[in-house]
Amino acid sequence: MNVHDFQKMKDDGRKISMITCYDYSSARAVAESNIDCILVGDSLAMTMHGYPNTLSATTAMMALHTAAVAKGAPAKFIIADLPFLSYRKGLKDAMDAVHELMSAGAHAVKLEGVRGHAEIVRHIVDSGVPVMGHLGLTPQSLHGLGGMKVQARTNAAVKVLTAEARELEDAGCFALVLECVPTQGARRVTDLLKIPTIGIGAGTHVSGQVLVYQDMLGLNPGFKPKFLRVYANTFEVIQTALNAYDSDVKSGAFPSASESYRDLESTDKRVEHPAQNGRGSGITVTSEIYH
Ligand code: KIV
């Protein structure tokens, strides 16, 4: 996947799959999947750092997580979010932030909105850095929008949305995220633009979809927006594993003889731990490392 493949996929009618990712071990799992591209979203302020919204993400945080993801998924196309206000303080600050994210391993940056920073988008693009736009619900404007609400629900609002989408395309964006926009509005934008749209809560008539890794893996059990499909109940899987480990530790079933070191002179190959009595979790250690 490179930046031109986004356009090719839209032109060929092939859907683009994007997933957020913020750390090395998750990136390794994404690296071995068929997912087309990774977004190191500023949602990491919430998923990785426990803040209530994305406003606490900083460029330093974004760069640190981008570098970890780039190491875990070196062959994937990585888009990193420019965080809150980093592109609203003038060209120099915006370019410093872009520089930091691209040096950390991003292949493109994403930013929210267009009003007042179309020239900055143009400058980033002209500097050789692909830019993904983001319209509809733009979480960095949470307080200005009066909350995390579905956007563009009236004809007038769809008109503004399509005008802004066109402005981002004209400024050189290679793709556009549409967040929490009714299906027909998202379709209007997708049909109007040449570049692909990637939806989250924007229905099916878009060029691709993005979901937050933790949300689609069920790691955020209380979070149930209409648009979310949970593909695995990972929170429960982890809880079950943690409790099995806790129980094995407390019963003495972990570690077993095969999970313990022998001294070099011992001839006894398998000494069953007295507390084990076949009550272990049954997890087999296959790794030869540290022997
Ligand atoms: O930060 C993020 O995760 C995002 C997606 C929801 C599109 O911007």
Side-chain angles (χ1 to χ4, degrees), residues 20 22 39 41-43 81 110 134 177 179 200 210 212:
T20 70
Y22 320 100
L39 171 66
D42 58 356
S43 49
D81 259 339
K110 175 168 83 58
H134 183 157
V177 166
E179 180 166 352
I200 175 164
V210 56
V212 169

Side-chain angles (χ1 to χ4, degrees), residues 185-286:
R187 179 182 213 155
R188 280 267 289 281
V189 175
T190 305
D191 290 347
L192 183 81
L193 296 190
K194 183 167 167 23
I195 60 171
T197 54
I198 301 189
I200 175 164
T204 189
H205 302 293
V206 283
S207 321
Q209 300 287 336
V210 56
L211 283 177
V212 169
Y213 186 90
Q214 279 72 9
D215 298 346
M216 63 89 74
L217 289 177
L219 284 165
N220 193 3
F223 185 61
K224 291 189 173 93
K226 187 179 173 69
F227 65 77
L228 177 62
R229 184 176 297 179
V230 176
Y231 283 86
N233 286 317
T234 312
F235 196 87
E236 272 172 45
V237 172
I238 292 173
Q239 287 281 302
T240 304
L242 290 173
N243 287 334
Y245 164 61
D246 171 78
S247 151
D248 283 357
V249 168
K250 287 173 181 163
S251 70
F254 175 80
S256 67
S258 66
E259 289 156 338
S260 308
Y261 294 109
R262 283 181 292 118
D263 65 58
L264 290 173
E265 284 154 16
S266 171
T267 50
D268 190 4
K269 286 211 160 96
R270 278 193 155 269
V271 184
E272 185 77 4
H273 192 288
Q276 192 174 351
N277 276 337
R279 280 182 285 125
S281 56
I283 291 171
T284 320
V285 176
T286 53

Side-chain angles (χ1 to χ4, degrees), residues 61-84:
M61 269 161 77
M62 296 306 304
L64 192 65
H65 287 275
T66 299
V69 170
K71 284 181 218 145
K76 294 285 183 193
F77 190 87
I78 299 170
I79 302 121
D81 259 339
L82 282 166
F84 183 51

Side-chain angles (χ1 to χ4, degrees), residues 122-222:
R122 204 164 272 121
H123 187 85
I124 300 171
V125 174
D126 288 348
S127 306
V129 176
V131 178
M132 179 177 272
H134 183 157
L135 293 176
L137 173 56
T138 45
Q140 292 174 10
S141 304
L142 156 80
H143 298 301
L145 295 173
M148 297 289 279
K149 295 176 179 161
V150 178
Q151 301 295 306
R153 296 197 104 153
T154 62
N155 287 340
V158 170
K159 229 169 151 184
V160 173
L161 179 71
T162 50
E164 291 186 344
R166 183 90 92 173
E167 210 179 332
L168 281 168
E169 179 170 83
D170 290 346
C173 284
F174 73 96
L176 175 66
V177 166
L178 290 176
E179 180 166 352
C180 290
V181 170
T183 306
Q184 288 316 316
R187 179 182 213 155
R188 280 267 289 281
V189 175
T190 305
D191 290 347
L192 183 81
L193 296 190
K194 183 167 167 23
I195 60 171
T197 54
I198 301 189
I200 175 164
T204 189
H205 302 293
V206 283
S207 321
Q209 300 287 336
V210 56
L211 283 177
V212 169
Y213 186 90
Q214 279 72 9
D215 298 346
M216 63 89 74
L217 289 177
L219 284 165
N220 193 3

